[in-house]
Amino acid sequence: MSEYAAARLNMVEGQIRPNKVTDQRLVDAMLDIPREQFVPKAARGIAYVDEDLAIGKGRYLMEPMVFARMLQEVGIDETDVALDIGSGSGYSTAVLARLAATVVGIESDAELARQATESLSAVGVDNAVVITAPLTEGYPQQAPYDVIVIEGLVSEVPDGILAQLGEGGRLVAAVLGDRGVGEVKLYQRSGGVTSARTLFEAHTHPLPGFEAKPKFVF
């Protein structure tokens, strides 16, 4: 077993499984995708650390446990069409591609999007594409989606993104709570109405563009 394969196994057995992640398809996907392929070369030795990992340009790969819990809670079926908002270097898109039928990743930084496309090709992902586009707008051109995942902390989920969910669709995101702590929320669309519930707390880095708008004081 290679050094990285051993690190992936340790990530799953030490971080993922002990934290209520039981979906075997998800576990297999995280064992399969080489996380080191999606980080800067200088950071490959810490690719499997149990915290958010900087990938440059102020962006991060989410902590493996938080990311895995989010994907388990959103419930991805092998026939789903998924939207990955803030795909960064492409790791999240690659994992989603092992679970869903089709994945559209959007990334606002053109260089990160290029790196993501190259890395996805390098690991044999052929059912996903990464597009350069503003993150806060989602990607309505391919809507509706069965699943939407937002890769980072947001002040709120824009209504325009929620509107891209199809009937029965689910969205998962870490949203800044009243106490200043991230709360992973699951949004579900049923009967044309979108409801939300809080799942667990998550300390993750903000996703640029989703900061809270300043309030005017008179």
Side-chain angles (χ1 to χ4, degrees), residues 5-72:
R8 274 195 299 283
L9 180 60
N10 288 338
M11 174 188 71
V12 167
E13 298 300 334
Q15 302 176 44
I16 306 302
R17 290 191 192 274
N19 285 286
K20 303 178 182 178
V21 177
T22 58
D23 183 332
Q24 191 58 47
R25 291 179 63 237
L26 174 55
V27 169
D28 289 344
M30 296 191 74
L31 279 171
D32 183 48
I33 298 298
R35 190 173 167 93
E36 72 277 3
Q37 176 69 42
F38 297 89
V39 304
K41 289 183 178 179
R44 288 183 176 178
I46 57 170
Y48 296 92
V49 67
D50 58 346
E51 58 187 47
D52 288 359
L53 181 62
I55 56 174
K57 300 180 180 290
R59 301 294 293 280
Y60 294 81
L61 295 189
M62 295 183 73
E63 179 183 350
M65 182 275 288
V66 173
F67 176 62
R69 283 282 306 276
M70 288 174 65
L71 294 196
Q72 176 165 277

Side-chain angles (χ1 to χ4, degrees), residues 70-216:
M70 288 174 65
L71 294 196
Q72 176 165 277
E73 295 290 350
V74 81
I76 304 168
D77 189 82
E78 59 187 10
T79 60
D80 283 344
V81 175
L83 176 65
D84 189 28
I85 297 178
S87 54
S89 59
Y91 175 73
S92 55
T93 304
V95 175
L96 281 164
R98 290 288 191 264
L99 303 171
T102 304
V103 183
V104 177
I106 59 171
E107 175 48 56
S108 57
D109 185 274
E111 177 58 21
L112 280 176
R114 183 192 64 78
Q115 292 175 20
T117 298
E118 291 181 355
S119 292
L120 289 171
S121 177
V123 301
V125 171
D126 59 6
N127 61 329
V129 61
V130 175
I131 297 165
T132 304
L135 303 184
T136 55
E137 296 177 11
Y139 198 68
Q141 294 90 324
Q142 295 295 325
Y145 300 99
D146 302 298
V147 169
I148 300 177
V149 182
I150 301 181
E151 305 291 344
L153 183 68
V154 301
S155 62
E156 62 180 2
V157 178
D159 290 340
I161 291 178
L162 289 171
Q164 294 171 37
L165 286 173
E167 179 65 18
R170 294 88 62 204
L171 180 150
V172 67
V175 181
L176 187 64
D178 294 337
R179 296 183 295 111
V181 177
E183 299 174 342
V184 173
K185 294 180 179 289
L186 178 66
Y187 299 78
Q188 295 179 284
R189 188 170 181 83
S190 178
V193 176
T194 302
S195 60
R197 60 189 176 94
T198 300
L199 303 175
F200 59 94
E201 291 186 352
H203 300 271
T204 190
H205 283 77
L207 186 61
F210 289 87
E211 299 86 355
K213 296 178 175 61
K215 296 180 180 179
F216 292 101

